[in-house]
Amino acid sequence: MRHLVGPVQDLADVSLAIVCPMANEGQTARRFVGEVLANCAALRSRRFFAVIDRVSFDDTLSALQAHARIMPELSVVWAPENRSVVDAYRRGYEEAVKTGADWILEIDAGFSHQPSDIPLLLGKMQEGYDCVFGSRFCPGGAMMNSSWRRYALSYGGTLLANTLLGTSLTDMTSGFQLFQRQALQAVLRCGIRSHGPFFQTEMKAHCRQMNVTEVPIQYQSPTHAVGSAALGDALLNLGRLLWARVAGRL
């Protein structure tokens, strides 16, 4: 197992970049940004990258652009070239890495991930981990307001991925995660080939030789369903990663 960094004595020595794609979040976007940054106040510096593209049809873009004029920690990234949610995250990762931030936090907008859980990830990262993943299924975690189908997909997907890919996390599909910059750069060099939600599992698979851990999170399930295209993408890329593992490339 690789250890890319050592423990951190004081959060005041750490710089953080936050990656958060946003779409149709006009009613909550400014409050969400404020709460996220407030829960990172102990850090030396914070930069919130809100990535917005053409799937957002409300006033999210204009509202955040106006907010950024009075909140220097907020950077609004307009990315009309994006073709999928993975493109939005990848663009955010690129912007975050360019800042040279020590740690990079990925979080979903709209309060499906709770900003109040951020200190748990930050505190655990202080212990010297390369990646800290939020988990809905470890002790203390919760997946609230979720249909049985959504729960089964997330939990069953975790069991299947762990079995086939040799990972051992309790939640392989969560998107609330904190990386050392070097760890995220290593993942990006491996490449993210999924075009759907499975990319979260793909990223975790690329971290399997790193020093990783989980913390419990309180997840508010979104209302949108996981469609057949996303399931097909997941199965295709799970098979690809299994083959890579068998061939010794994972």
Side-chain angles (χ1 to χ4, degrees):
M1 179 181 292
R2 289 180 288 168
H3 295 258
L4 301 182
V5 296
V8 172
Q9 297 299 318
D10 193 343
L11 287 178
D13 296 328
V14 177
S15 58
L16 177 72
I18 302 150
V19 175
C20 184
M22 288 187 160
N24 305 308
E25 308 284 353
Q27 292 185 346
T28 62
R30 284 170 290 191
R31 180 166 63 91
F32 182 76
V33 171
E35 291 194 21
V36 168
L37 292 172
N39 278 281
C40 305
L43 295 157
R44 183 180 82 238
S45 65
R46 307 153 298 161
R47 177 67 64 86
F48 189 111
F49 290 98
V51 184
I52 304 171
D53 53 37
R54 295 189 184 277
V55 301
S56 187
F57 301 110
D58 69 354
D59 66 342
T60 301
L61 177 62
S62 59
L64 287 179
Q65 286 174 331
H67 199 44
R69 288 194 282 271
I70 61 173
M71 179 171 280
E73 301 96 335
L74 173 61
S75 294
V76 181
V77 180
W78 169 237
E81 71 279 7
N82 289 350
R83 293 179 296 174
S84 69
V85 67
V86 183
D87 288 343
Y89 279 103
R90 188 183 289 112
R91 176 65 185 277
Y93 301 146
E94 292 169 356
E95 297 291 337
V97 167
K98 283 192 296 186
T99 69
D102 299 307
W103 299 349
I104 297 170
L105 174 70
E106 173 192 326
I107 187 170
D108 288 352
F111 293 96
S112 56
H113 293 152
Q114 307 305 307
S116 57
D117 284 335
I118 292 173
L120 293 175
L121 281 78
L122 299 177
K124 184 59 70 171
M125 187 69 100
Q126 276 187 277
E127 298 176 18
Y129 289 98
D130 300 321
C131 316
V132 178
F133 302 121
S135 171
R136 300 160 293 183
F137 305 126
C138 71
M143 188 171 179
M144 298 172 286
N145 301 322
S146 175
S147 69
W148 69 266
R149 183 174 183 269
R150 186 64 181 267
Y151 185 95
L153 283 172
S154 297
Y155 190 74
T158 291
L159 295 177
L160 183 61
N162 282 335
T163 299
L164 297 182
L165 303 181
T167 49
S168 58
L169 296 172
T170 65
D171 193 343
M172 285 289 288
T173 65
S174 169
F176 197 177
Q177 45 202 8
L178 181 63
F179 298 92
Q180 298 281 350
R181 185 185 70 254
Q182 301 95 320
L184 180 58
Q185 288 174 308
V187 170
L188 295 177
R189 284 194 296 269
C190 291
I192 302 173
R193 294 176 56 182
S194 170
H195 296 292
F198 183 80
F199 86 95
Q200 306 284 10
T201 304
E202 185 176 4
M203 292 181 71
K204 291 177 177 64
H206 290 316
C207 296
R208 63 189 292 267
Q209 300 298 331
M210 298 182 190
N211 185 25
V212 305
T213 191
E214 295 177 292
V215 296
I217 60 171
Q218 309 302 307
Y219 180 77
Q220 291 280 352
S221 182
T223 56
H224 64 267
V226 177
S228 57
L231 290 175
D233 175 85
L235 292 173
L236 175 66
N237 283 285
L238 182 60
R240 176 181 58 80
L241 291 172
L242 173 59
W243 179 251
R245 183 192 177 201
V246 171
R249 298 193 303 271
L250 179 67

